[in-house]
Amino acid sequence: GNSVTQMEGPVTLSEEAFLTINCTYTATGYPSLFWYVQYPGEGLQLLLKATKADDKGSNKGFEATYRKETTSFHLEKGSVQVSDSAVYFCALRPIQGAQKLVFGQGTRLTINP
Amino acid sequence: DTGVSQDPRHKITKRGQNVTFRCDPISEHNRLYWYRQTLGQGPEFLTYFQNEAQLEKSRLLSDRFSAERPKGSFSTLEIQRTEQGDSAMYLCASSRDVRTEAFFGQGTRLTVV
């Protein structure tokens, strides 16, 4: 079946540090891949996406590359800010069926000034 | 465009009581999804509608759960005879079609005591 595995949190970094949150997936075919972010007290927001192999999604300084050979979609940012503190979810959308999203368990990120 | 709206934001109920949640999707979004998120986990798919038709239900959706979307507009999710294990955040999302981004509401947090 379809599944997503994220690196376990929580992750605590200092401001301006480099961030990587690992995400690997299991799926048939070529699913679309997403990173969602959930800020405190808010709903899930789409951060970035990639719909085919070798695509790079980017937004707000965050990047992730769809790697079919390693079934990965790791999230990176070169210099994090306190305002990046949130919970990050990796997700996939299968190509068949309901097009529903399958989420990882989430990674809580805290950035200290 | 006011986003996806969910009501109530919080609900505390006694075990055995029935509860109903409402979701108002973004206008003209014909797909509507319900997810459940328990503490420390990612959202899990419950069910989805295309217009007024409920096209898929997860095995998580026991017979105590029922969802409707009359006239293809707002949707309701009812839980009958609530149990403590139903305590979770219930998220609603909508999208214009199968290829476009799903937008999430802020969720309804249910606590069963």
Side-chain angles (χ1 to χ4, degrees):
Chain A
N2 300 306
S3 67
V4 175
T5 302
Q6 287 181 235
M7 68 183 283
E8 291 194 15
V11 173
T12 302
L13 296 172
S14 297
E15 204 165 22
E16 299 184 3
F18 183 85
L19 168 71
T20 300
I21 301 178
N22 289 338
C23 171
T24 57
Y25 68 91
T26 302
T28 53
Y30 291 84
S32 296
L33 301 174
F34 304 83
W35 278 99
Y36 279 83
V37 59
Q38 190 171 34
Y39 297 104
E42 298 185 16
L44 285 167
Q45 301 174 24
L46 179 65
L47 180 60
L48 53 84
K49 67 179 181 182
T51 57
K52 60 182 186 294
D54 300 324
D55 266 3
K56 178 184 284 188
S58 61
N59 186 24
K60 299 181 181 180
F62 290 90
E63 293 183 341
T65 301
Y66 190 141
R67 300 287 189 200
K68 180 66 177 176
E69 64 277 12
T70 54
T71 60
S72 65
F73 193 54
H74 304 320
L75 183 68
E76 297 182 335
K77 187 174 185 181
S79 176
V80 292
Q81 306 299 313
V82 172
S83 58
D84 294 326
S85 298
V87 182
Y88 291 81
F89 293 93
C90 185
L92 68 82
R93 186 173 67 194
I95 57 173
Q96 305 97 347
Q99 305 282 308
K100 59 186 180 288
L101 292 164
V102 177
F103 287 88
Q105 75 271 32
T107 302
R108 181 175 297 279
L109 174 66
T110 301
I111 307 299
N112 294 322
Chain B
D1 185 346
T2 57
V4 178
S5 177
Q6 292 189 245
D7 183 71
R9 293 288 308 279
H10 304 275
K11 178 70 177 179
I12 299 174
T13 191
K14 292 183 178 180
R15 190 174 52 184
Q17 298 293 305
N18 299 342
V19 294
T20 300
F21 311 140
R22 177 179 171 124
C23 171
D24 287 272
I26 295 171
S27 62
E28 299 182 356
H29 278 195
N30 61 35
R31 287 187 165 231
L32 186 148
Y33 302 82
W34 285 98
Y35 291 82
R36 182 172 70 185
Q37 184 179 15
T38 54
L39 201 61
Q41 299 298 315
E44 296 173 291
F45 170 78
L46 292 179
T47 189
Y48 98 101
F49 293 83
Q50 182 164 312
N51 299 312
E52 66 275 10
Q54 187 175 17
L55 296 185
E56 183 171 338
K57 295 194 291 186
S58 161
R59 288 190 299 273
L60 293 174
L61 215 64
S62 76
D63 56 8
R64 295 185 297 105
F65 288 69
S66 62
E68 295 182 341
R69 192 183 182 197
K71 302 179 183 178
S73 55
F74 71 92
S75 176
T76 58
L77 178 67
E78 180 182 17
I79 308 174
Q80 296 183 327
R81 305 181 302 281
T82 52
E83 302 173 356
Q84 286 189 319
D86 298 330
S87 296
M89 177 78 83
Y90 290 84
L91 299 170
C92 178
S94 70
S95 67
R96 186 180 301 278
D97 56 46
V98 65
R99 289 178 299 276
T100 56
E101 172 189 351
F103 291 85
F104 282 81
Q106 292 183 293
T108 294
R109 181 170 295 283
L110 172 66
T111 302
V112 182
V113 298

